[in-house]
Amino acid sequence: EKAHMLELLQMDKAYLSKEVQVMGERESKLELANDKLSTKYRETKKARSDLQERLVAQSEDTRLAYETRLQAEIARLHASHAADVDKVRAECTSMADQELRLLRERRDVAERDNGKMQREVKE
């Protein structure tokens, strides 16, 4: 009976030793998988951070480009407006000069006609 017990204990020991070895291997595999996942998580987190930085930079670049185009358009419109105002001023001055010249010519004609009529009345 002791021999049978000893044999059973040895079988239990062998079985448990094999289970310890299998569990140790399984633990190693799980630790390796955990390390890989942790590394992948850190890499993904870094990639996300990099993409966010690029998105912010691109948004800033887009905003600056829009503001630059807007300022250029404002400058162009301002120059165009100034040119239009100068053109209207020049046209108004020209029209005023022409009207003044016509009024002077009419005055001169009226004075000549008045002088001519006065001479005719005297005669």
Side-chain angles (χ1 to χ4, degrees), residues 20-74:
V20 166
Q21 181 183 357
V22 168
M23 290 297 164
E25 290 173 3
R26 186 172 177 201
E27 179 187 19
S28 296
K29 287 179 183 178
L30 289 173
E31 283 179 359
L32 183 61
N34 186 41
D35 289 345
K36 286 180 181 179
L37 286 174
S38 294
T39 301
K40 187 168 184 167
Y41 173 74
R42 283 190 301 274
E43 289 172 353
T44 303
K45 193 173 178 180
K46 184 177 181 337
R48 177 179 162 220
S49 176
D50 291 346
L51 285 173
Q52 285 177 331
E53 288 175 11
R54 283 180 35 206
L55 179 62
V56 167
Q58 183 154 5
S59 294
E60 182 66 15
D61 290 346
T62 301
R63 185 186 64 80
L64 290 174
Y66 174 76
E67 286 181 6
T68 301
R69 285 193 311 270
L70 184 62
Q71 290 299 326
E73 181 66 12
I74 288 171

Side-chain angles (χ1 to χ4, degrees), residues 2 10 15 17 23-24 29 31 35 47 52 54-56 60 66 69 74 88 91-92 97 103 108-109 111 119:
K2 279 186 175 185
Q10 285 176 344
Y15 173 77
S17 294
M23 290 297 164
K29 287 179 183 178
E31 283 179 359
D35 289 345
Q52 285 177 331
R54 283 180 35 206
L55 179 62
V56 167
E60 182 66 15
Y66 174 76
R69 285 193 311 270
I74 288 171
V88 168
E91 288 174 358
C92 285
D97 289 346
L103 288 172
D108 293 345
V109 167
E111 286 177 352
R119 282 190 297 270

Side-chain angles (χ1 to χ4, degrees), residues 90-101:
E91 288 174 358
C92 285
T93 301
S94 174
M95 287 174 47
D97 289 346
Q98 184 179 5
E99 187 175 343
L100 185 60
R101 189 178 65 252

